[in-house]
Amino acid sequence: RIGLRVRQLMTGKHHTQEPQSHLRRIVGNVEILGGEGDAVQVGANVIIFETNQRGDTVWAARTEHSLCRVDGALRIARKKVILVNNDKAIYTLSFLV
């Protein structure tokens, strides 16, 4: 593990998972929750399928985004993920960020 860490430091590349998980996302029930000026609040339900060396995991969540307009484009100012199974042990969440 030390050799891997040294290689990562030398190349400047560091993945949160090695090897990376394979993921597929389904986003539905997208709703505009409100807005004011150039800001808008959006919510959605999300199902994420993850497969890696530990096995397969299905993540279900409600996401909330605060979006703001910057130079004519919408940008994420804040993201909140509320996992359905947030009372269980969680091994990695890097793909939710």
Side-chain angles (χ1 to χ4, degrees), residues 36-55:
E36 189 173 307
D38 281 346
V40 63
Q41 308 301 314
V42 179
N45 293 325
V46 179
I47 299 287
I48 301 170
F49 177 79
E50 174 189 24
T51 185
N52 58 30
Q53 292 178 336
R54 282 190 309 268

Side-chain angles (χ1 to χ4, degrees), residues 28-31 33 42-46 60-64 80-84:
N29 300 94
V30 178
E31 9 177 20
L33 303 173
V42 179
N45 293 325
V46 179
R62 173 73 177 171
T63 61
E64 297 175 1
K80 181 177 179 181
V81 178
I82 306 155
L83 292 172
V84 171

